[in-house]
Amino acid sequence: MLPWLSSPYPIFPSTAIALDSPNGLLAAGGDLSPHWLVEAYRRGIFPWYSDDDPILWWSPDPRMVLRPEQFKLRRSLAKRLRNGGFDVTLNQHFEHVINACAAPRDEDTGTWITDDMYNAYVTLHRLGIAHSIEVHQSGQLVGGLYGLAMGPVFFGESMFSNAPDASKIALARLAGAMQAHGGKLIDCQMHTPHLESLGATTVARETFINYLEQWLPETAFSVSSSFAGAPSVPASPWLQSIASHGDS
């Protein structure tokens, strides 16, 4: 039976009990407040559900991850980075990026970024925990991605592209900044052929959780016993080297 999270505090079951089918479904309930989300991500758990569902929490096995040094910067993409007329900014248009990521794609008519999810991540952005990387061409926002940064880990949520390679450029800039300044891991959550083509690989959930315990120890987080106020997460200095133009 799927655990129902009814505590007022973010207490999750062990990820070891997540279901095999659907892969990684761990629990339902809880809420999307900053404390719940920070606690979930640092434990290798993320929310994913539709408007008709309760909040569902997942920790799939295997997990898709990208080590920054393993990003595949192919020759054509490197040329676009140098000569494509793209500018990359950080945290200048977070709500535009998440809205673009929420737009239906191809034959899809819905989105997993519900209004509650949207509001939750905007709140995390205002707290300096969620971040967007934006790609501009000729003054227009043409691609980007967003996710959560905690210490040397970036938990990727979604990306979009309205111009060839625009989302790849955002990911390339993220991976490059992390590799140069101490970042260790980009969490990609679920396997896709697109991410695999860029260098992402799958690891066992236990391996992923071990990474998080090593790089995001509980002592690196500051949370009061009453969970009052905003959660504090480890700083990610590598963020500041992402932007090529504009303030970061």
Side-chain angles (χ1 to χ4, degrees), residues 36-49:
W36 275 84
L37 288 171
V38 168
E39 184 70 8
Y41 279 91
R42 78 178 188 88
R43 293 186 180 278
I45 302 164
F46 60 86
W48 183 33
Y49 66 102

Side-chain angles (χ1 to χ4, degrees), residues 15 18-27 57-61 190 205:
T15 55
L19 299 179
D20 293 329
S21 181
N23 180 15
L25 181 57
L26 177 66
W57 301 93
W58 302 77
S59 185
D61 187 15
M190 304 290 285
R205 177 172 56 222

Side-chain angles (χ1 to χ4, degrees), residues 8-212:
Y9 306 116
I11 300 174
F12 291 94
S14 168
T15 55
I17 72 167
L19 299 179
D20 293 329
S21 181
N23 180 15
L25 181 57
L26 177 66
D31 65 50
L32 297 177
S33 65
H35 284 292
W36 275 84
L37 288 171
V38 168
E39 184 70 8
Y41 279 91
R42 78 178 188 88
R43 293 186 180 278
I45 302 164
F46 60 86
W48 183 33
Y49 66 102
S50 66
D51 271 325
D52 297 329
D53 294 327
I55 300 172
L56 299 176
W57 301 93
W58 302 77
S59 185
D61 187 15
R63 188 82 164 219
M64 177 148 268
V65 300
L66 175 61
R67 298 294 293 262
E69 67 275 11
Q70 294 178 347
F71 179 79
K72 293 181 179 178
L73 183 59
R74 303 197 184 278
R75 185 176 301 175
S76 60
L77 182 58
K79 184 176 180 180
R80 281 189 181 276
L81 277 167
R82 292 192 306 269
N83 307 319
F86 293 103
D87 291 337
V88 179
T89 56
L90 175 71
N91 291 333
Q92 299 300 295
H93 305 284
F94 185 89
E95 294 184 39
H96 288 83
V97 169
I98 195 171
N99 273 320
C101 290
R105 305 177 190 187
D106 300 325
E107 293 82 19
D108 295 338
T109 57
T111 176
W112 60 270
I113 304 177
T114 65
D115 288 345
D116 287 344
M117 291 274 276
Y118 173 91
N119 291 328
Y121 288 95
V122 168
T123 297
L124 285 180
H125 173 64
R126 291 170 180 167
L127 293 174
I129 298 170
H131 305 271
S132 59
I133 300 170
E134 306 102 10
V135 179
H136 310 262
Q137 189 175 45
S138 301
Q140 299 295 315
L141 180 66
V142 295
L145 59 83
Y146 77 97
L148 282 65
M150 301 185 196
V153 181
F154 185 82
F155 298 91
E157 273 298 305
S158 189
M159 60 176 64
F160 82 99
S161 184
N162 290 334
D165 290 337
S167 62
K168 293 180 184 178
I169 288 170
L171 186 58
R173 187 57 62 88
L174 171 63
M178 293 182 73
Q179 183 179 359
H181 299 282
K184 299 293 188 182
L185 194 72
I186 300 170
D187 173 30
C188 303
Q189 298 182 349
M190 304 290 285
H191 174 272
T192 69
H194 174 65
L195 289 169
E196 185 176 20
S197 73
L198 295 173
T201 59
T202 53
V203 298
R205 177 172 56 222
E206 183 178 1
T207 300
F208 178 70
I209 298 300
N210 287 340
Y211 286 151
L212 298 185

